[in-house]
Structures are given as C-alpha cells and as structure tokens.
Amino acid sequence: MASTETTSAQDAEATGRDAGLGGVEAGLDALEVTQSGRTPFRRTFVDKILPPITAAVVLLLLWQALITFHVVDDPTKLPSPSDVGREFKDAWLQGTLLGFIWTSVSRGLLGFLFALAIGTPLGLLVARVKFVRAAIGPVLSGLQSLPSVAWVPPAVIWLGLDNSMMYAVILLGAVPSIANGLVSGIDQVPPLFLRAGRTMGATGVRGAWHIVLPAALPGYLAGLKQGWAFSWRSLMAAEIIASSPDLGIGLGALLENGRNASSMSMVFQAIVLILFVGIAIDLLIFSPLERWVLRSRGLFVKS
C-alpha cells in the first residue's frame, strides 16, 4: 500500500514537472514567434513618420527664429527658409531640380555597384588567404582612412574631366570600406560553421557562397552602408572640385555654383538635397536590408 502511494506521488511529481517544462517551452516559443499581422497605419505614423517630421519642424522654427529675432542679420550668411524655398520653387518651375538629383544619384549608384563588384571578391580573398591579408590588409585600412577628396586631382590628371574620373574617385573611396566590412564579418564567423560546411562538402567557392557569406552578412551589410556613405561623399567632392559643362550639373556642382554666385540660398538648397538623398537611400535600401538580416536571425522584434 505504501509502495503504491509512493509510486502515485512520483508519477504526480513527474507529471507536474513535465507540465512546468512544457509551459516554459511554450513561453519560449511564444517569444520567438514573429507577429505576421500588418501594423496599423496610426501606429506606424506615430512611431516612424511623426518623429522625423517633428524634428524637421522644430529645426525650421529655430532657423526662422534666428532670422526673426535678428540673431543673424546678414542674409549672405544665413538665408531665411522662405528664400531657400524660393530656390526650390524656381528650380522646379525651370525643370532643373530633378535633373540635379538624377545626375548625382545615377553616378553614385552606378559607382557603388562597381565598388560592390570589386570590393566583395577582394574582401573574401583578403579574409581567406593569409598571404594576401598580410600584403593588402594594411593597405585597405590606410585607403579607408584617406580622405576621398585626395583622389580627385590625380583622377582628373589620369582620366580627364569626364564620368570615368567620377567613377574612379567613387571606387577608390568605397572599395576599401566594402572589403574591410566583409573581412570583419568573416572574422566573426564561428569556426564551427566552417567545420560543419566542410563536413557537408561545402568547400572552395561553394563554401564561400553557402557558408561564409551568409554567416558574415551582418558585418558585410555594415560595410556596404559605410561604402555607400564613402561613395556619396567621394562623388560630392569630385563634383565640387571638377566642374565641366560635359559633366552636367549634379548636387556637388550646384553647391559650388552657389558659392561662386555668393548665393547662400542656393548653397542651402544643395545641402538640403544632398542630405535628402542620403537619408532616402538609407531608408529605401539599407534599412529594409538590415531588418531582413536581423529578422532572419531572430534578432528583430516588432515593437
């Protein structure tokens, strides 16, 4: 009788323990489940759209306050928001505003794609071959720290005032960042992944494509974002310094034209457009990629 009661008590205890473990597992599974429902527009507006709009409005109010309260009285040093707005209106009515943007954006994106095609295999080679890493690694780090504007004079001398010069400056500014980002990402790949890949026959190019690159994707994406930033800054430096009718008028040339004409409203117009393009590229391209990478690794939680 006592043995039967002991057995019943043990069974009840085991059942309770299994139920507790099942509850813990269910709770962990619930934490890992990603909500698939669409976020309401009101929440998206409040969380994503309203904060930058508020910041922009506050900035415009502070800007206008500097003019209204005569903190800055000289319009040649700080134009009013309305003056800059008139510059945008005139450029739009003349049909030149979109041309300014497209001239620079098309060059920047095409140059970045060239840099991507060169920097990715170069970074993979540096990360996987010790001799190449010892020979080229320090050079890539040095090139990454070199200001992009330093490449404009030699590029003009070598290639002349044409688009090839622009692309050369973009490549020299962006390739080291993309390659170093990939090297950094590969260095953080756990060795267990590589051993598992070799066990399954993923070696050489197959191992790089199916094991190394996916595992190094977060660091690689960070290198791509930095590479785009270097591409855009390099292009702006090239357009400011190297001006020619054959090159058209991009945003950098617009900035330089405003300086030559002593028109601060045109200068501010160019600055706003350069900033707008940089933010738009990040929001439309890199932010979705970053969310996708984080979500694929279970690191992105929808708040």
Side-chain angles (χ1 to χ4, degrees):
M1 183 69 177
S3 176
T4 303
E5 292 177 354
T6 303
T7 302
S8 300
Q10 291 175 348
D11 292 342
E13 182 180 355
T15 302
R17 184 168 57 251
D18 292 341
L21 291 175
V24 172
E25 291 177 357
L28 292 175
D29 291 341
L31 288 175
E32 294 179 356
V33 172
T34 302
Q35 299 178 358
S36 58
R38 179 175 296 180
T39 304
F41 175 77
R42 181 178 180 276
R43 184 174 180 180
T44 302
F45 178 81
V46 173
D47 294 342
K48 303 293 185 181
I49 302 176
L50 186 59
I53 292 178
T54 303
V57 170
V58 170
L59 181 61
L60 286 174
L61 291 176
L62 291 175
W63 182 1
Q64 183 61 50
L66 294 175
I67 305 298
T68 302
F69 296 103
H70 304 289
V71 178
V72 180
D73 289 329
D74 190 353
T76 62
K77 294 182 179 180
L78 182 65
S80 66
S82 59
D83 292 337
V84 179
R86 278 192 291 271
E87 285 288 341
F88 277 99
K89 180 181 178 181
D90 293 341
W92 177 262
L93 294 177
Q94 294 170 8
T96 57
L97 182 61
L98 295 181
F100 297 150
I101 298 174
W102 175 246
T103 298
S104 293
V105 170
S106 60
R107 283 177 184 156
L109 291 178
L110 186 57
F112 178 73
L113 291 177
F114 289 152
L116 181 64
I118 297 173
T120 300
L122 180 60
L124 190 61
L125 186 65
V126 170
R128 304 298 294 166
V129 181
K130 292 183 178 179
F131 176 79
V132 176
R133 183 168 193 155
I136 301 179
V139 177
L140 288 177
S141 299
L143 289 175
Q144 189 174 359
S145 62
L146 183 67
S148 303
V149 69
W151 290 113
V152 178
V156 172
I157 296 173
W158 293 335
L159 302 172
L161 289 173
D162 55 20
N163 281 323
S164 61
M165 178 272 299
M166 298 284 184
Y167 296 135
V169 174
I170 293 174
L171 290 177
L172 291 168
V175 167
S177 296
I178 295 174
N180 281 332
L182 181 55
V183 171
S184 177
I186 292 176
D187 287 344
Q188 299 176 34
V189 175
L192 180 61
F193 288 6
L194 304 179
R195 291 197 296 269
R198 287 194 294 267
T199 301
M200 293 184 293
T203 58
V205 177
R206 291 182 59 190
W209 180 255
H210 294 287
I211 304 297
V212 176
L213 286 178
L217 198 54
Y220 181 45
L221 181 58
L224 293 183
K225 291 181 68 175
Q226 190 176 43
W228 163 253
F230 274 88
S231 296
W232 190 237
R233 290 201 296 264
S234 301
L235 177 61
M236 292 301 101
E239 288 185 349
I240 290 172
I241 296 176
S243 59
S244 170
D246 297 334
L247 293 173
I249 301 178
L251 299 180
L254 179 65
L255 184 65
E256 180 65 10
N257 290 344
R259 185 191 70 85
N260 292 331
S262 298
S263 174
M264 282 301 295
S265 58
M266 186 182 297
V267 169
F268 270 71
Q269 177 193 22
I271 291 174
V272 170
L273 289 174
I274 293 170
L275 183 63
F276 169 78
V277 171
I279 294 174
I281 294 296
D282 181 73
L283 292 178
L284 296 177
I285 297 178
F286 292 108
S287 290
L289 281 176
E290 190 172 20
R291 288 195 298 269
W292 174 76
V293 170
L294 294 176
R295 187 180 291 111
S296 66
R297 283 159 170 75
L299 301 175
F300 181 78
V301 180
K302 187 182 294 185
S303 58

